């Protein structure tokens, strides 16, 4: 198993990073949040999980070991493959997933593309005794929520950082975020989180049309 990769970031795409390891470019599939923390030409270290199939070897990358562990635990639930597990981590942090499962929060799981009401109920049952309780303390979670309420929406910062990491100028990133804000507000009004992966794709489409 490849536990991690470390090296210079050779290329970035919305869902993939290429890390140069010993002269070899390793393509690593990542969430937009992980991509946002990388910079071209800069050194990076990603925790990884290698998924082996008959016709492919796919390397998934994560910001830390906790994210990788949750990724692997999610796949112990029936019907959850690596793509859906990564989509869940693209929408929610590991602790947010633990909180959703421990409190039986169907809506949070349904915010993930590909998970409906019945699927969410099934996942809550299967994952209840696997993910454990959130690692953050109640006070820390409360502080994070207060900070989120007082400042810019976390999804805007995450999306803008991802676009800048992909090589766009700050002004271009800001304009793209503004363009997809109605889409994000619609999701938030429905009671779910802003779907960052979909918003990133929509923002990139907006930027491509502008060029």
């Amino acid at each position: 198993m490849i536990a991690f990769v470390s090296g210079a970031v050779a290329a970035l795409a919305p869902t993939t990073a290429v890390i140069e390891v010993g002269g070899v470019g390793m393509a690593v599939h990542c969430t937009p949040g992980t991509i946002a923390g990388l910079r071209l030409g800069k050194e990076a270290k990603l925790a990884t999980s290698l998924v082996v199939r008959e016709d492919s070897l796919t390397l998934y990358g994560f910001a830390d070991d906790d994210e990788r562990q949750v990724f692997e635990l999610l796949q112990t639930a029936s019907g959850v493959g690596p793509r859906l597990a990564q989509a869940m981590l693209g929408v929610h942090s590991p602790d947010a997933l633990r909180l959703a499962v421990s409190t039986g929060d169907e809506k949070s799981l349904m915010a993930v593309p590909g998970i409906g009401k019945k699927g969410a109920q099934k996942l809550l049952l299967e994952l209840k005794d696997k993910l454990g309780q959130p690692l953050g303390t109640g006070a820390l979670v409360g502080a994070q929520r207060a900070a989120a309420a007082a400042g810019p929406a976390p999804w805007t910062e995450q999306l803008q950082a991802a676009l800048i990491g992909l090589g766009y100028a700050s002004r271009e990133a800001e304009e793209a975020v503004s363009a997809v804000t109605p889409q994000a507000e619609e999701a938030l009004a429905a009671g779910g989180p802003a779907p960052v992966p979909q918003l990133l794709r929509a923002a990139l489409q907006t930027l491509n049309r502008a060029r």
Side-chain angles (χ1 to χ4, degrees):
M1 177 182 175
I2 302 175
F4 69 87
V5 295
S6 178
V9 179
L12 288 172
T15 59
T16 308
V18 177
I19 309 296
E20 184 177 344
V21 182
V24 177
M26 305 285 285
V28 187
H29 291 263
C30 306
T31 65
T34 299
I35 292 289
L38 304 177
R39 294 293 181 269
L40 282 173
K42 300 294 185 180
E43 293 290 315
K45 181 177 180 180
L46 296 175
T48 56
S49 179
L50 180 63
V51 176
V52 180
R53 295 287 185 265
E54 289 184 3
D55 58 347
S56 66
L57 296 172
T58 307
L59 198 60
Y60 291 85
F62 310 93
D64 53 40
D65 289 333
D66 183 42
E67 205 172 57
R68 176 184 61 193
Q69 182 180 15
V70 170
F71 170 79
E72 293 173 347
L73 286 173
L74 290 172
Q75 293 177 74
T76 63
S78 58
V80 179
R83 290 183 181 276
L84 182 55
Q86 190 171 58
M88 293 172 75
L89 285 166
V91 174
H92 299 295
S93 68
D95 253 10
L97 284 172
R98 291 188 182 98
L99 183 62
V101 171
S102 64
T103 59
D105 187 353
E106 292 178 13
K107 287 187 176 181
S108 288
L109 294 186
M110 290 170 63
V112 179
I115 298 180
K117 185 176 180 64
K118 289 185 178 179
Q121 292 172 340
K122 186 176 180 182
L123 285 171
L124 289 175
L125 288 174
E126 293 194 29
L127 295 172
K128 185 175 182 180
D129 299 321
K130 295 180 179 179
L131 294 187
Q133 295 296 313
L135 301 181
T137 64
L140 178 59
V141 172
Q144 290 173 333
R145 287 175 178 169
W155 72 266
T156 60
E157 297 175 355
Q158 188 177 7
L159 186 57
Q160 187 168 346
L163 291 170
I164 292 173
L166 290 170
Y168 291 95
S170 296
R171 180 184 55 78
E172 291 178 306
E174 289 174 3
E175 291 175 353
V177 170
S178 296
V180 300
T181 293
Q183 184 178 337
E185 290 178 342
E186 184 177 343
L188 293 169
V196 174
Q198 293 94 316
L199 293 172
L200 180 57
R201 285 193 288 270
L204 288 171
Q205 291 173 355
T206 300
L207 288 166
N208 289 335
R209 286 196 297 268
R211 289 188 168 184

